[in-house]
Amino acid sequence: YLFWLGKIRNYQGRSGVPLYSQIKDKHSYYWFKAGNREAGPITGNSSGIPKSDSLAQITEDMKRNFQRITELESLKMKVEAREEARLMMDAVTEPLIPAFVPLLTNIEDYTALVRLGRKYNLLSLQYPLAFRDTVLKHAQACKMDPLLVTAIMREESRFRYDAESSAGARGVMQLMPATARRMGQIKNNAELFEVEKNIQLGTYYLSKLFAQLKSPNYVLAAYNAGEHNVEKWLAADYHDEDEFTEDIPFGETKNYVFKVMQSSGIMKALYVN
């Protein structure tokens, strides 16, 4: 209500800022769209990994599990390492998080990191910089915002490399095989479960959508519902992307845009000084 009342004031030539500043739902979609920003990274107990002076709670059995996961990772058996790590998840208490997070990061089990972050209300774990080097490489090559790419992965698959939707979308960025083939050569659909290939093709697809549609909200709607639907919706001639987003006729697509933009905003608040 406050967001749209502020927008109406802007349309009337008055300032909506006094109303935007009253939005209480901090880090919500509307909070970010109103232009609210943190003065630096998010602070507070819920943002970072808790400090621990002692890891005395690690049992001998857990130490052996840690060692086994490390050995599997060194043998490039990440799938097996992730399975081993997930067997330990229920035993990970808050004091053990500083020891467990690097382990999950090394084996690239960002899905487990998100679960751990939700369990202990730790934003930095709920919104990790997943597959950071790979994302940076392809985002820079396509002149894309790497945090937006990461936010899309989070909302599409929770960073699961083996995710597959009922419609057949695959991998961390949930690409449809037909879309992937338009963006580049793939030998078979199984390639879309390869993180590097999926991010490469998904980021390239995003860059194509941006070249065509310009606005992040339009691009995200097209990524979810298809370019043709967005072109049809845009024919209604909205004032701006906010009006367009509110009027998206597909509930799933509208909610998707909200979630990705919110995730992107939270990541910027966490990681961009």
Side-chain angles (χ1 to χ4, degrees):
Y1 171 80
L2 289 167
F3 175 79
W4 280 104
L5 193 56
K7 289 280 289 188
I8 291 169
R9 288 195 179 183
N10 286 337
Y11 292 156
Q12 295 171 338
R14 298 184 291 163
S15 174
V17 171
L19 290 163
Y20 293 157
S21 63
Q22 295 177 46
I23 296 175
K24 303 292 188 202
D25 192 2
K26 194 175 184 183
H27 305 131
S28 67
Y29 170 83
Y30 292 107
W31 191 84
F32 286 117
K33 287 298 290 183
N36 293 311
R37 293 290 183 271
E38 292 285 344
I42 296 174
T43 58
N45 294 334
S46 66
S47 61
I49 298 168
K51 304 300 181 187
S52 178
D53 297 328
S54 171
L55 297 178
Q57 294 188 44
I58 296 182
T59 66
E60 289 302 316
D61 284 344
M62 290 187 76
K63 287 178 182 177
R64 284 192 289 271
N65 288 339
F66 271 53
Q67 181 63 31
R68 191 156 53 244
I69 293 167
T70 302
E71 290 171 355
L72 287 169
E73 193 273 332
S74 68
L75 293 170
K76 301 188 184 305
M77 298 173 67
K78 288 186 177 179
V79 173
E80 292 79 4
R82 291 177 191 130
E83 290 173 356
E84 188 79 26
R86 286 171 189 174
L87 292 174
M88 297 173 60
M89 284 292 289
D90 290 340
V92 178
T93 57
E94 195 162 2
L96 298 180
I97 290 175
F100 203 57
V101 166
L103 198 67
L104 292 175
T105 302
N106 286 341
I107 63 176
E108 296 184 324
D109 195 344
Y110 300 104
T111 305
L113 274 183
V114 173
R115 285 177 53 204
L116 202 60
R118 292 185 68 179
K119 181 177 180 180
Y120 291 107
N121 192 30
L122 300 168
L123 280 178
S124 62
L125 300 188
Q126 292 182 59
Y127 297 88
L129 295 175
F131 311 109
R132 183 175 183 174
D133 292 342
T134 302
V135 169
L136 281 174
K137 178 173 73 172
H138 294 295
Q140 288 171 354
C142 295
K143 296 181 172 55
M144 289 295 305
D145 176 3
L147 293 181
L148 182 62
V149 174
T150 306
I152 287 171
M153 287 193 294
R154 183 187 189 278
E155 301 308 328
E156 285 284 358
S157 68
R158 286 297 190 268
F159 309 116
R160 277 186 54 203
Y161 72 94
D162 59 349
E164 183 171 8
S165 74
S166 58
R170 299 185 173 204
V172 288
M173 295 190 72
Q174 287 291 275
L175 285 174
M176 293 295 291
T179 301
R181 286 190 165 83
R182 281 196 289 130
M183 295 304 112
Q185 294 182 347
I186 58 171
K187 296 175 184 176
N188 53 64
N189 292 347
E191 278 191 88
L192 295 179
F193 294 129
E194 298 173 11
V195 171
E196 173 101 25
K197 175 66 75 172
N198 196 283
I199 291 174
Q200 177 189 7
L201 295 175
T203 304
Y204 183 59
Y205 179 42
L206 279 175
S207 71
K208 289 291 188 183
L209 291 176
F210 265 100
Q212 176 185 347
L213 298 168
K214 315 302 180 186
S215 154
N217 287 36
Y218 302 157
V219 166
L220 291 173
Y223 194 91
N224 182 266
E227 303 101 297
H228 299 306
N229 278 321
V230 171
E231 288 170 354
K232 181 173 65 177
W233 298 338
L234 284 171
D237 194 25
Y238 296 100
H239 279 92
D240 57 26
E241 65 178 11
D242 295 321
E243 287 192 10
F244 166 86
T245 305
E246 290 292 340
D247 210 30
I248 290 175
F250 296 175
E252 177 189 330
T253 300
K254 178 177 176 178
N255 191 44
Y256 175 78
V257 174
F258 282 179
K259 289 193 297 184
V260 173
M261 291 302 293
Q262 179 178 5
S263 291
S264 177
I266 289 172
M267 287 180 181
K268 284 181 171 66
L270 280 169
Y271 302 116
V272 179
N273 291 321

